[in-house]
Amino acid sequence: TIQLTTQPGSWAVTSAPPGVNPATIDNNSNILDATNADAGTYLLTFTLDTPPPTGCPVSSVQSLVVGNAVDAGNDNNIEVCNSDPAPVDLNSLLSGADPGGIWQVAVFSPLPGPGTFVPATGTFFTNGQPQGNYTFEYVVPATTPCLASVAQITVSVYAQPAATITNPNPTV
């Protein structure tokens, strides 16, 4: 059971996981900063400034797990013609992404034609694809206690323009 107190005191990191960038506590605000901190279990100790009555503890130790956040990278867009035989490599449109993610079609996106999207390789074949905005998601799974991360890549497919030449003065 943890009993909260309004008594003044201070927090300290009394045990940190191995690494070069441990989480820190600001002594003025008593706020833990775990930004880019080494992942693992930390022991945090709260010590009262004024000793409590006899028999009451002067400090309390709490355990906190800091996890590594995952990053699917930045969203991106590309425009292509539906006559281009070269596939779009969706992986090449990601920047700053962690490995280990999976590709999927966004729920709000039109579905690509059968066999034109290969999730295992992040490849989209646009040749003959109907005109539209196709959105794909690269999802890096969550690592406890952090959430999953999602990047969206939108491929705008345009129909190849057709040019017709007519002669206004045909010779008979």
Side-chain angles (χ1 to χ4, degrees):
T1 303
I2 297 175
Q3 185 173 359
L4 300 179
T5 180
T6 57
Q7 300 299 311
S10 60
W11 285 96
V13 175
T14 51
S15 178
V20 295
N21 191 30
T24 58
I25 295 178
D26 180 311
N27 292 329
N28 295 322
S29 64
N30 279 333
I31 293 177
L32 177 75
D33 183 2
T35 306
N36 297 316
D38 301 320
T41 302
Y42 288 79
L43 295 180
L44 308 176
T45 302
F46 181 77
T47 304
L48 294 169
D49 288 344
T50 305
T54 304
C56 294
V58 71
S59 65
S60 173
V61 178
Q62 304 301 314
S63 178
L64 174 76
V65 175
V66 173
N68 282 327
V70 294
D71 189 356
N74 298 319
D75 296 348
N76 205 345
N77 303 298
I78 188 172
E79 296 178 346
V80 296
C81 285
N82 67 355
S83 61
D84 189 348
V88 174
D89 178 6
L90 300 172
N91 294 293
S92 70
L93 300 172
L94 287 173
S95 63
D98 289 340
I102 59 168
W103 284 102
Q104 64 189 25
V105 178
V107 295
F108 57 84
S109 177
L111 292 176
T116 60
F117 170 56
V118 184
T121 60
T123 306
F124 179 41
F125 293 88
T126 60
N127 193 12
Q129 194 72 18
Q131 185 169 317
N133 294 319
Y134 298 87
T135 301
F136 303 92
E137 295 177 332
Y138 180 71
V139 181
V140 179
T143 57
T144 303
C146 300
L147 302 175
S149 180
V150 179
Q152 292 184 339
I153 305 295
T154 300
V155 180
S156 298
V157 177
Y158 295 98
Q160 177 68 35
T164 303
I165 300 175
T166 57
N167 184 350
N169 299 315
T171 52
V172 181

